[in-house]
Amino acid sequence: MAAPRPVPDTTDAPLIALHDVAVRFGQQEVLSDIHLALHSGRITTLIGPNGAGKSTLARVILGIVPPSRGRVTRRTGLRIGYMPQRIKIDDSLPLTVDGFLALGMAGATRARRDALGRAGVAHLRRRAVQALSGGEMQRVLLARALLRKPDLLVLDEPAQGVDVAGQDALYGLLAEVRDELRCGILLISHDLHLVMAATDDVVCLHHHICCSGTPEAVSRDPAFRDMFPGHPATNLALYTHEHDHEHDLHGNVDCAEHHHHDH
């Protein structure tokens, strides 16, 4: 899919900024020297291998884990929507999609319907949660995060367990959400297959920030090449994808147009 359009409002104060942040658990320093700012209207992707501290950094941003050193500044009244990797629901509990959203945030039925519509799953409102496919549940979790009308949307490994076409559909939707809500989006991932083409900014983490910048700049950085040796993205095969078609919830192409990859 085509890379999101850069949005020229990043001179504004950041939604959230981390200044020289470190996190220590016991004797182990999980994060150190973290300087990071997230802005409205931009998609930032946090990448790195398993164990690099990505989830810990996300928890600092969410306000769950306090920094051991440094400081975090947030825009006044900042609203954060969070989409977890997965959520466990008791199979014996009869729960519709609408009921599931109401558990997270009571309020007007219309708000829940609107959030499901924005996520492309309004037709699932009365479906049992247990009957959803993985791709459908992914969209419902996104709707749940959107209910907060977030200034910042944080998604932890949102495409885990979803095929490449399904990831493509999700990233296209996130770009639409960003454009419509003018929110900032933070994606956390270790999977580069489409991420490098679906983001405005990349932050490469391995307990500290190894490199950051645009996908093109990061893909040329020796630190990125060392972290992901031999990956096609290091050769600027950024999986650019002309979006002249749409995907359904399962990643199927809805028309006869074909993908176009630039290698």
Coordinates of all heavy atoms in Angstrom, one line a residue, residues 10 15-16 29 37 39 41 51 54 77 85 88 91 102 121 142 173-174 197 205 213 228 237:
T10 N 3.9 19.0 12.7 CA 4.7 18.5 13.8 C 5.5 19.5 14.5 O 6.3 19.2 15.4 CB 5.6 17.4 13.3 OG1 6.4 17.9 12.2 CG2 4.8 16.2 12.8
L15 N 2.4 15.3 21.6 CA 1.4 14.7 22.4 C 2.0 14.1 23.7 O 1.5 14.3 24.8 CB 0.7 13.5 21.7 CG -0.1 13.9 20.5 CD1 -0.5 12.6 19.7 CD2 -1.3 14.7 20.9
I16 N 3.2 13.5 23.6 CA 3.9 13.0 24.7 C 5.4 13.0 24.3 O 5.7 12.8 23.1 CB 3.4 11.5 25.0 CG1 4.1 11.0 26.3 CG2 3.6 10.6 23.9 CD1 3.4 9.8 26.9
E29 N 18.7 -3.1 33.7 CA 18.2 -1.9 33.1 C 17.7 -2.3 31.7 O 18.4 -2.6 30.8 CB 19.3 -0.8 32.9 CG 18.8 0.5 32.5 CD 19.8 1.6 32.7 OE1 20.9 1.6 32.0 OE2 19.6 2.5 33.6
A37 N 9.6 11.6 21.0 CA 8.4 12.5 20.9 C 7.4 12.0 19.9 O 7.8 11.6 18.8 CB 8.8 14.0 20.6
H39 N 3.8 12.9 17.9 CA 3.0 14.1 17.4 C 1.7 13.7 16.8 O 1.5 12.6 16.3 CB 3.8 14.8 16.4 CG 5.1 15.5 16.9 ND1 5.1 16.7 17.4 CD2 6.3 15.0 17.1 CE1 6.3 17.0 17.8 NE2 7.1 16.0 17.6
G41 N -1.2 13.4 14.1 CA -1.2 13.3 12.7 C 0.0 12.5 12.1 O 0.2 12.5 10.9
G51 N 12.4 -9.0 23.1 CA 13.3 -8.7 24.3 C 14.0 -7.4 24.2 O 14.8 -7.1 25.1
K54 N 10.4 -3.2 23.9 CA 9.3 -2.5 23.2 C 8.1 -2.4 24.1 O 7.4 -1.3 24.2 CB 8.9 -3.1 21.9 CG 10.1 -3.2 20.9 CD 9.6 -3.7 19.5 CE 9.0 -5.1 19.5 NZ 10.0 -6.1 20.0
G77 N -4.7 16.9 29.2 CA -5.9 16.3 28.8 C -5.7 15.2 27.7 O -6.7 14.7 27.1
Q85 N -2.4 -6.8 22.1 CA -2.2 -7.9 21.1 C -3.4 -8.9 21.1 O -3.8 -9.3 20.0 CB -0.9 -8.7 21.6 CG 0.4 -8.0 21.4 CD 1.5 -9.0 21.8 OE1 1.5 -10.2 21.6 NE2 2.6 -8.4 22.3
K88 N -8.3 -12.1 26.4 CA -8.9 -13.4 26.8 C -10.3 -13.2 27.3 O -10.6 -12.4 28.2 CB -8.1 -14.1 27.9 CG -8.6 -15.4 28.4 CD -8.7 -16.5 27.3 CE -9.2 -17.8 27.8 NZ -9.4 -18.8 26.7
D91 N -15.0 -18.4 27.3 CA -15.9 -19.0 26.2 C -17.3 -19.2 26.7 O -18.2 -19.4 25.9 CB -15.2 -20.2 25.7 CG -14.0 -20.0 24.8 OD1 -13.9 -18.8 24.4 OD2 -13.2 -20.9 24.6
A102 N -19.3 -2.2 25.5 CA -20.0 -1.5 26.7 C -19.2 -1.8 28.0 O -19.2 -1.0 28.9 CB -21.4 -2.0 26.8
V121 N -16.6 -2.8 10.9 CA -17.2 -4.0 11.4 C -18.6 -3.7 12.0 O -19.0 -4.4 13.0 CB -16.4 -4.8 12.4 CG1 -15.2 -5.5 11.6 CG2 -15.8 -3.9 13.5
L142 N -9.8 -2.6 17.8 CA -9.5 -1.3 17.3 C -10.7 -0.4 17.6 O -10.5 0.8 18.1 CB -9.3 -1.3 15.8 CG -9.0 0.1 15.1 CD1 -7.9 0.8 15.8 CD2 -8.8 -0.1 13.6
L173 N -6.3 1.1 6.9 CA -7.4 1.6 7.8 C -6.8 2.6 8.8 O -7.4 3.6 9.1 CB -8.1 0.5 8.5 CG -9.1 0.9 9.6 CD1 -10.3 1.7 9.0 CD2 -9.7 -0.4 10.2
L174 N -5.6 2.3 9.4 CA -5.0 3.1 10.4 C -4.6 4.5 9.8 O -4.8 5.5 10.4 CB -3.8 2.5 11.0 CG -4.0 1.3 11.9 CD1 -2.7 0.7 12.4 CD2 -4.9 1.6 13.0
A197 N 6.6 0.4 5.0 CA 5.8 1.2 4.0 C 4.6 1.8 4.6 O 3.9 2.5 3.8 CB 5.4 0.2 2.8
L205 N 14.6 0.1 18.3 CA 14.9 -0.1 19.7 C 15.6 -1.4 20.0 O 15.2 -2.4 19.6 CB 13.6 0.0 20.6 CG 13.7 0.0 22.1 CD1 14.2 1.4 22.6 CD2 12.4 -0.4 22.7
G213 N 13.9 7.9 12.4 CA 13.8 8.8 11.3 C 12.7 8.2 10.3 O 11.9 7.4 10.7
F228 N 18.7 -6.2 11.7 CA 17.9 -7.1 10.8 C 18.7 -7.5 9.6 O 18.4 -7.1 8.5 CB 16.6 -6.3 10.3 CG 15.7 -5.9 11.5 CD1 15.7 -4.6 12.0 CD2 14.9 -6.9 12.1 CE1 14.9 -4.3 13.0 CE2 14.1 -6.5 13.1 CZ 14.1 -5.2 13.6
A237 N 13.7 -2.3 -0.2 CA 12.5 -2.9 -0.7 C 11.5 -2.7 0.3 O 11.2 -3.5 1.2 CB 12.7 -4.4 -1.0

